[in-house]
Amino acid sequence: MPDQSLSSIVIFAVFALFALAVFAIVALKLWELVGPLVDRTLQGASVAEYASQRMRRFKAQRRPDDEDNLEDLPDDTATLLSMLTVASIVVDAQDEVVRSSPDAYRLGVVQDDAIAIDEVMRAVHEVRAAGGRRMFDLTTSTPERFISMPSEAAASTGVVETASVRRPNWLKVTVGRINERFVVVLIDDVSDAVRFGQVRDSFITNVSEQLLGPTEALVVLADNLERGGADEERIARDARQVRDSCEKLNHMVADLLLLIKAQEPVTPSSANRLDLLEQVRHVADQLRPQAVAAGVGLHVDGDEGVIVNGEVDQIRTAITKLVENAIGYSPQGKSVSVAVSRAKTGDHAMVRVLDQGRGIAKEDQSRVFERFYRGTEQTSRTENGVGLGLAIVKHVALTHHGDVAVWSVPGSGSTFTLSLPLAR
């Protein structure tokens, strides 16, 4: 009798395992059929995120006769908000964001269906309680997920790249009450105007400072000529000083004009499609004599047919600044490589400029894209620069909806990567 019981248990266990295996196979086959449909439905979101989206839509679309009998946003108000050129956010009585422009997320004001800035939330509470409106200035940072950039070099080496786009957003915020339930937040992004004003002020300040050099050199030369008796060698030395000061001033003014020009975003169109490798080859041909004079090799390679939308002079200027920078910091006998490729993500083109110089100190890497910033490690070929080259590259990248990043280890050279969206 015990043997029969044991046999029954074994047979039951075998059938149970067999049933589980059949269930697993059926489930796998079903997932192969249903999985793509689920992915299309979720559109890349997690199940939790998708459920949250559906709940928001339900709350925004529910009618007055729903069980909780809550008043929805009036149709005329919703239509008006959709016509505004500024970003808008609608907050309900529970402080939940029920409607929001995409820019509100990009500017860091809304996160996870809620107001992410305490100052804005306080203004919402004040307006809901007392009416009227509140107007104030606000500075935010763009969330990390909106400034991601392909960083294949960093992934392969384990070294973090320093990207250039971490810049503040300057906003003018207006908060007002729609009715007893809803409060609206209007966000006017004035960042471009503020940045343009900063460049203009930098232009005036730095040109004024740089004018002192040629002026002082001219005064010295004039004094020596006026007194007479100065030897020709001294006169020639003073004249060279005047010429060098004027050349530096002219170079700085030209760079500042380029920086001002690279402030307005470029709109992609069929008229501004560019072959990126063709632009790189053009720049290399222009700079090859400079590389030869410095004793530095210059090599170009990359994928054919990588097309981007861009303003040709700005793209060439950005590439020129990167290659000039690499040549300037490369020792004699070393080489600079420029490569064009498509990012593994499939949506960006990348121009990588690699040098074999001394690299960039860690404390300088986060600042190299600032206007007029000069690193601590200068060479005889870079000591007369004004610190605008990489700032120009940064702004060209941003106006083309791209980015620029640096990877560097002191003693191992540097790699600058210009990333631009592929033309569609």
Side-chain angles (χ1 to χ4, degrees), residues 278-325:
E278 182 181 318
Q279 308 310 315
V280 169
R281 286 170 174 162
H282 175 86
V283 169
D285 290 341
Q286 298 295 315
L287 295 182
R288 208 169 297 281
Q290 180 178 330
V292 171
V296 175
L298 180 56
H299 309 287
V300 174
D301 192 13
D303 299 335
E304 300 279 356
V306 178
I307 308 299
V308 299
N309 292 106
E311 205 281 318
V312 62
D313 290 337
Q314 291 190 33
I315 295 295
R316 289 180 178 178
T317 295
I319 298 171
T320 297
K321 294 298 182 183
L322 289 176
V323 177
E324 282 182 338
N325 201 58

Side-chain angles (χ1 to χ4, degrees), residues 36-92:
L37 177 62
V38 173
D39 288 339
R40 288 195 297 270
T41 302
L42 297 183
Q43 297 179 337
S46 67
V47 174
E49 290 171 340
Y50 180 73
S52 177
Q53 293 172 6
R54 297 301 301 175
M55 182 60 71
R56 290 200 308 273
R57 292 175 186 173
F58 169 76
K59 290 181 178 179
Q61 297 172 358
R62 58 193 171 191
R63 300 181 303 275
D65 58 352
D66 285 343
E67 61 180 3
D68 49 6
N69 199 29
L70 291 176
E71 179 187 4
D72 198 359
L73 187 66
D75 290 340
D76 54 349
T77 302
T79 302
L80 179 61
L81 291 176
S82 67
M83 296 173 60
L84 295 177
T85 57
V86 299
S88 62
I89 306 166
V90 177
V91 184
D92 66 10

